[in-house]
């Protein structure tokens, strides 16, 4: 159900309903981060493992500080440079943050979203809000209000802010221990973070974690995935057995009825990616074949975006179909 506007969303959230909200990256599912029982309902509706901590969304740096046991000056540098924006800072948490938010861990991830409606919702509620992506655990993140409706129907009230500008989830960077490290790649890369704080920031450990304990629990190998079998290929030039939906960057290949042509440019590709995966999934195809995008762009900014696209695509195409 789409909300009439901000006031209805604030009232619903205060009454304990689950509200989806727009950010510049993807839509999130909101609940008062300081209210344990409301946060638990978010885990339930997403079928999210209790071991996967939530990001807490704040309206400003002061609110972020209130959640931290220790707010290092590097966090100020990142916030000054990138907030409001697509960077989540992981820091030592304060006692006011319920265990359920951090999956029992000693750290909390905080981010100030670059979307007026998101910050107005936080201010309207007067409390920081958890905001996991508004999809069932492991599925493709939503970048429109309609995606959220397709995911949860009338169980969630959606504050519609139009299509998300960035299209890929925030960079998650840990300042909780040294060396500082990117835990989840996003459009802001490790080199840009490192420049902002004047200290090295390690790249995300591995593109795909194939087993064992993940450094960030959201980094399990299969994630961001359509329900249809999904593969990455160098070129799509012929139809195989069964019905294929092709996601390409170049000219549309002939002989394949379902083709989604993606933008050439990294930022535009990122913005279009999750909608393309959802449309491919809805196409009725037996197989989604994705033409492998480049790994590097001309500038560092583009390379960071292609790297985070590669990360999401490798997770979307990691076979675990049993
Ligand atoms: O762009 C985004 O970050 C979106 C929008 C809605 O803000 N939210 C989002 O939330 O992607 P979610 O829950 O889908 O992904 C959060 C990621 C997970 O990989 C989680 O493991 C990691 O952030 N994370 C959260 N808190 C953490 C912590 N304390 N330590 C390490 N990783 C953490
Ligand atoms: Mg998610």
């Amino acid at each position: 159900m789409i909300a009439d506007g901000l006031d209805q969303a604030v009232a619903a959230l205060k009454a304990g309903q689950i509200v989806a909200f727009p950010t510049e990256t993807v839509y999130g599912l909101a609940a008062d981060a300081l209210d344990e029982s409301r946060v638990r309902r978010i885990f339930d509706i997403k079928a999210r493992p209790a071991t996967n901590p939530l990001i807490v969304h704040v309206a400003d740096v002061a609110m972020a500080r209130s959640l931290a046991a220790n707010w290092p000056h590097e966090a100020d540098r990142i916030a000054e440079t990138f907030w409001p924006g697509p960077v989540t800072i992981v820091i030592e948490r304060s006692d006011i943050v319920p265990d359920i938010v951090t999956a029992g861990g000693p750290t909390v991830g905080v981010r100030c979203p670059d979307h007026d409606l998101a910050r107005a919702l936080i201010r309207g509620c007067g409390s920081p809000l958890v905001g996991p992506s508004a999809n069932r655990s492991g599925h493709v993140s939503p970048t429109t209000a309609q995606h959220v409706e397709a995911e949860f129907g009338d169980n969630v009230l959606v504050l519609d802010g139009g299509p998300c500008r960035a299209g890929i989830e925030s960079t998650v960077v840990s300042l909780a221990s040294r060396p500082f490290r990117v835990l989840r790649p996003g459009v802001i890369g490790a080199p840009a973070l490192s420049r902002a704080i004047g200290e090295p920031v390690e790249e995300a450990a591995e593109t795909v974690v194939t087993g064992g304990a993940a450094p960030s629990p959201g980094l399990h190998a299969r994630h961001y995935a359509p329900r249809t079998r999904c593969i990455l290929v160098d070129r799509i030039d012929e139809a195989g057995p069964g019905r294929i939906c092709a996601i390409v960057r170049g000219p549309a290949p002939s002989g394949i009825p379902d083709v989604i042509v993606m933008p050439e440019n990294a930022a535009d590709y990122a913005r279009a990616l999750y909608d393309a995966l959802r449309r491919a999934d809805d196409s009725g195809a037996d197989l989604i074949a994705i033409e492998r995008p480049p790994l590097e762009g001309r500038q560092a900014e583009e390379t960071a975006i292609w790297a985070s696209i590669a990360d999401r695509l490798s997770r979307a195409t990691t076979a675990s179909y049993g």
Side-chain angles (χ1 to χ4, degrees):
M1 215 182 339
I2 305 286
D4 290 335
L6 179 65
D7 292 347
Q8 191 194 1
V10 170
L13 203 47
K14 282 184 166 169
Q17 264 176 267
I18 292 179
V19 172
F21 67 107
T23 78
E24 78 282 30
T25 59
V26 302
Y27 276 72
L29 280 183
D32 182 340
L34 306 182
D35 184 324
E36 186 188 333
S37 66
R38 291 183 180 186
V39 174
R40 178 160 294 118
R41 292 186 47 222
I42 300 267
F43 278 89
D44 291 345
I45 194 171
K46 279 184 61 86
R48 182 180 180 107
T51 49
N52 193 356
L54 300 177
I55 293 171
V56 182
H57 294 65
V58 296
D60 49 41
V61 173
M63 202 181 259
R65 279 176 174 274
S66 75
L67 302 167
N70 166 36
W71 181 258
H73 68 87
E74 291 88 353
D76 273 328
R77 295 290 91 74
I78 290 178
E80 277 160 18
T81 314
F82 300 107
W83 280 7
V87 179
T88 295
I89 306 174
V90 172
I91 29 103
E92 214 182 303
R93 67 149 160 166
S94 88
D95 293 340
I96 67 165
V97 182
D99 276 351
I100 187 166
V101 171
T102 70
T107 63
V108 62
V110 291
R111 121 170 167 90
C112 181
D114 187 12
H115 197 297
D116 290 344
L117 281 177
R119 292 196 309 282
L121 188 69
I122 299 165
R123 290 218 167 87
C125 292
S127 184
L129 302 175
V130 292
S133 53
N135 51 276
R136 285 171 210 284
S137 190
H139 192 219
V140 180
S141 297
T143 53
T144 67
Q146 290 67 39
H147 292 166
V148 182
E149 283 197 298
E151 198 83 22
F152 294 115
D154 283 344
N155 293 325
V156 165
L157 184 71
V158 190
L159 180 57
D160 190 351
C164 301
R165 285 194 309 280
I168 280 196
E169 302 81 355
S170 62
T171 304
V172 178
V173 60
S174 173
L175 303 182
S177 57
R178 282 192 161 79
F180 300 148
R181 182 183 297 281
V182 170
L183 302 178
R184 177 176 71 180
V187 302
I188 310 293
L193 293 166
S194 174
R195 262 198 313 280
I197 62 180
E199 191 175 323
V201 175
E202 311 257 305
E203 301 277 357
E206 240 181 294
T207 297
V208 168
V209 179
T210 45
S216 187
L219 296 183
H220 290 305
R222 187 165 165 75
H223 211 99
Y224 312 106
R227 297 183 171 91
T228 312
R229 195 163 93 83
C230 206
I231 57 170
L232 264 176
V233 293
D234 290 322
R235 258 191 71 187
I236 300 165
D237 45 17
E238 59 185 65
R243 202 174 133 194
I244 294 183
C245 178
I247 298 181
V248 300
R249 272 180 86 231
S254 56
I256 299 177
D258 292 311
V259 178
I260 298 173
V261 179
M262 298 295 285
E264 289 278 321
N265 164 286
D268 294 337
Y269 189 110
R271 187 179 304 126
L273 176 61
Y274 289 149
D275 183 65
L277 289 178
R278 282 173 177 270
R279 280 191 288 139
D281 212 7
D282 292 341
S283 71
D286 307 306
L287 178 70
I288 302 170
I290 305 168
E291 191 182 343
R292 201 185 300 280
L295 280 174
E296 288 185 6
R298 269 181 303 252
Q299 282 124 21
E301 288 75 16
E302 278 177 63
T303 296
I305 300 173
W306 285 125
S308 48
I309 290 168
D311 169 77
R312 303 311 190 270
L313 285 178
S314 73
R315 291 177 209 288
T317 54
T318 297
S320 67
Y321 300 91

